[in-house]
Amino acid sequence: MDVSGKSAIVTGGASGLGAATAAVLAAAGAKVALFDRDLDKAHAHAGAIGGMAVACDVTDEVSVDAALDQVAEAQGAPRIAVNCAGIVSGSRIVGRNGPFDMSVFRKTIEVNLIGTFCIMSRVAARMAVLDPLEDGERGVIVNTASIAAFEGQIGQAAYSASKGGVAALTLPAAREFVKAGIRVMCIAPGVFETPMVSQGLSDEIREALIAKCQFPARLGRPEEYGNLVLSICGNSMLNGEVIRLDGAQRLEPR
């Protein structure tokens, strides 16, 4: 799919991977809507890239439907949807103070997994009734997992479970949407230079993370994620797959 002139939504679009992806898509000519709970920050970034900001709680289907209605009215029904909204939680299943806080586990699953599913199901329903493009394609959905889905470290149980669920959604969703002409892909990034990952990291921890990278020997750049999203949109043979974007990084137990 040529993204130029196409309506696109990016959840978590005000910062990190979402902000970079929104910028890459906008630079390629897409009409981009940034979905985020931080509307002020979303407005600032949308203004910088020529997009629109939309308040949205991805875990609330009423909020998602209202946001999609707003986008459809302003720039047309989305042909492209990228799920970047997510949170990180870190704690042992059984720690010094006892079992894992279940409210934290539920919140992590709700935002990372249920939020992704909520956006995917509702945007796919709208894509399915659009006129087909070349190859019969009607839309592209790109979800964000993590290499923690496959090599979760000690203390990442909740996060790994949520991202493992996102990865597992990829193939069944792609198979279901075949007749509608909607592709579903998933990117599993390694450690990237985003506020969610790097805030509060000491120089020592940062260097330890970089040491785990193979090549290139650095953390990922958010625009590299955005460039992969753009490549996925442009290559119709990419469907039903999880792509690791990690410079051959593999996580150790801790």
Side-chain angles (χ1 to χ4, degrees):
M1 179 188 295
D2 180 359
V3 305
S4 182
K6 307 298 190 303
S7 176
I9 65 166
V10 181
T11 72
S15 64
L17 299 180
T21 300
V24 168
L25 290 173
K31 297 178 289 185
V32 184
L34 285 61
F35 283 17
D36 210 286
R37 295 181 66 178
D38 189 339
L39 194 55
D40 289 340
K41 200 170 182 179
H43 272 303
H45 188 51
I49 66 172
M52 66 178 288
V54 183
C56 183
D57 178 351
V58 298
T59 68
D60 181 352
E61 56 265 40
V62 174
S63 177
V64 170
D65 284 335
L68 289 172
D69 286 342
Q70 189 176 338
V71 170
E73 183 176 351
Q75 62 184 38
R79 295 272 188 183
I80 301 158
V82 187
N83 274 304
C84 291
I87 60 173
V88 171
S89 61
S91 182
R92 288 175 178 260
I93 299 169
V94 180
R96 293 179 181 177
N97 297 320
F100 196 99
D101 183 343
M102 287 306 299
S103 67
V104 175
F105 187 86
R106 288 189 182 95
K107 183 67 175 178
T108 306
I109 297 295
E110 185 176 27
V111 175
N112 294 351
L113 178 55
I114 295 175
T116 294
F117 186 87
C118 185
I119 289 286
M120 182 173 67
S121 63
R122 277 161 168 73
V123 78
R126 294 166 183 253
M127 288 177 176
V129 298
L130 299 176
D131 292 334
L133 303 173
E134 186 179 358
D135 287 339
E137 188 170 37
R138 289 184 170 86
V140 181
I141 299 170
V142 182
N143 297 327
T144 306
S146 165
I147 61 172
F150 315 108
E151 297 140 21
Q153 296 180 302
I154 293 171
Q156 290 184 331
Y159 182 71
S160 295
S162 69
K163 292 301 187 177
V166 172
L169 277 175
T170 309
L171 185 57
R175 285 171 164 170
E176 179 178 337
F177 298 154
V178 164
K179 291 183 179 179
I182 300 168
R183 292 188 288 124
V184 180
M185 287 291 293
C186 182
I187 301 173
V191 185
F192 272 62
E193 293 271 13
T194 66
M196 187 172 75
V197 171
S198 22
Q199 277 178 351
L201 285 184
S202 66
D203 290 341
E204 182 181 359
I205 294 175
R206 181 183 179 81
E207 289 305 313
L209 287 172
I210 292 174
K212 296 179 188 296
C213 298
Q214 299 301 301
F215 185 84
R218 59 170 172 79
L219 303 186
R221 296 167 182 152
E223 61 269 22
E224 292 171 325
Y225 179 98
N227 288 334
L228 180 53
V229 170
L230 184 62
S231 294
I232 288 170
C233 290
N235 191 330
S236 296
M237 282 299 290
L238 287 172
N239 192 17
E241 185 58 87
V242 180
I243 301 176
R244 291 182 65 126
L245 186 65
D246 59 12
Q249 182 181 22
R250 296 297 182 268
L251 300 179
E252 299 166 350
R254 64 181 74 205

